[in-house]
Amino acid sequence: MRKPIIAGNWKMNKTASEAAVLVDELIPAVKDASCEVVICTPYTDLVTAVAKTKGTNIHVGAENVHFEKSGAFTGEISADMLVDLGVEYVIVGHSERRQYFAETDQTVNKRALAALNAGLKVIICVGESLQQREEGVTEELVRMQTKIALRDVTAEQMANVVIAYEPVWAIGTGKTATAEQAQEIHAYIRTILREKFGAAADETPILYGGSCKPSNAPELFAKEDVDGGLIGGAALKAADFLAIGKGFPQK
Ligand code: PEP
């Protein structure tokens, strides 16, 4: 049985004082949620988010992490720094990092390994662009991204891995993949995981991300291999985030 997850990706939104307000709204809103609730916030909001969510059912994550342990990497944040703050999760390989910050499959792998070795849970993002989908290479691309991201990750560490399938054409565009499109790729990702990790792959949560909102979450989450959502825009409104979290049917 995979525990369903909703993970918010706040992106570059909310100052620390604005974050305090949103977390205060979220705490009562999601307190009875039957899924795991994660909020991934900008680095500058992490201290506030961790302090405010102590003793609640909200888990805090970062949106990125550097792969080196320490040293001359101006502007970067290490996995140990996140762990020391009480952060539990980190997103790696988000398509915006790949698109705007030259993230590659290789650096995604290095970040995932650094995070896992430090004891963090990672949410590894994969997904195709519109052009790649139209060219019919979605499966090849997702296979490559998933396999390289998980290079040298052990079966034991897989307990701390979440995969997020995020078709780039659906992120922040209002265009959602249909539930069938999502299920097709989620099931495909699970076969890739099975090739490497066998039956343990059935334990790995695979989230859908891309314009997920209260109105489309129930249909997406009803699919066998869709274990929840990585939520961008809708995670910035407590009511929407809560409503998405209520979209899980009994499977
Ligand atoms: C995301 O940023 O991971 C995301 C899915 O964004 P949105 O929900 O806004 O499309």
Side-chain angles (χ1 to χ4, degrees):
M1 272 296 280
R2 297 183 292 272
K3 190 173 184 192
I5 301 175
I6 50 165
N9 172 18
W10 290 11
K11 313 197 190 205
M12 195 174 73
N13 292 297
K14 304 290 176 190
T15 62
S17 40
E18 290 167 345
V21 174
L22 179 54
V23 175
D24 280 343
E25 286 171 11
L26 282 170
I27 291 170
V30 301
K31 78 175 189 338
D32 297 321
S34 53
C35 58
E36 173 117 331
V37 179
V38 183
I39 53 171
C40 297
T41 80
Y43 290 133
T44 48
D45 296 346
L46 289 171
V47 170
T48 305
V50 168
K52 282 201 169 277
T53 56
K54 208 157 256 162
T56 75
N57 62 331
I58 300 179
H59 304 262
V60 175
E63 298 174 14
N64 193 22
V65 63
H66 192 58
F67 39 79
E68 296 293 345
K69 272 195 97 57
S70 62
F73 301 99
T74 302
E76 295 297 328
I77 300 288
S78 74
D80 287 344
M81 291 171 178
L82 297 177
V83 170
D84 189 63
L85 282 188
V87 170
E88 274 182 75
Y89 279 84
V90 64
I91 298 172
V92 296
H94 192 279
S95 63
E96 288 152 16
R97 301 289 324 165
R98 295 177 191 259
Q99 184 177 353
Y100 304 125
F101 302 100
E103 193 81 67
T104 65
D105 291 334
Q106 285 71 24
T107 57
V108 171
N109 173 241
K110 287 169 76 169
R111 289 176 209 274
L113 286 172
L116 290 167
N117 289 336
L120 290 165
K121 296 178 179 150
V122 293
I123 302 174
I124 297 173
C125 301
V126 299
E128 81 288 0
S129 65
L130 183 59
Q131 191 187 3
Q132 288 160 336
R133 176 161 280 267
E134 286 174 350
E135 284 173 359
V137 298
T138 298
E139 291 195 347
E140 286 94 324
L141 183 96
V142 165
R143 168 175 285 274
M144 188 170 72
Q145 289 179 331
T146 306
K147 285 193 77 166
I148 297 176
L150 294 175
R151 184 186 287 154
D152 297 330
V153 172
T154 65
E156 209 171 50
Q157 286 175 323
M158 279 306 285
N160 285 331
V161 171
V162 175
I163 306 286
Y165 168 57
E166 298 209 306
V168 179
W169 47 271
I171 296 179
T173 59
K175 236 188 210 180
T176 321
T178 64
E180 288 69 32
Q181 284 171 324
Q183 169 59 24
E184 188 185 7
I185 302 303
H186 283 229
Y188 182 67
I189 291 170
R190 202 170 304 286
T191 64
I192 299 164
L193 300 180
R194 277 201 198 108
E195 287 167 15
K196 187 165 176 189
F197 299 105
D202 292 348
E203 307 298 319
T204 306
I206 306 179
L207 312 184
Y208 168 79
S211 298
C212 192
K213 43 188 184 250
S215 58
N216 57 30
E219 204 187 337
L220 287 157
F221 296 171
K223 292 293 180 191
E224 191 184 337
D225 289 290
V226 180
D227 304 312
L230 181 56
I231 322 293
L236 297 172
K237 290 195 195 117
D240 284 356
F241 196 51
L242 167 67
I244 291 171
K246 287 194 168 155
F248 289 101
Q250 286 300 105
K251 286 194 205 174

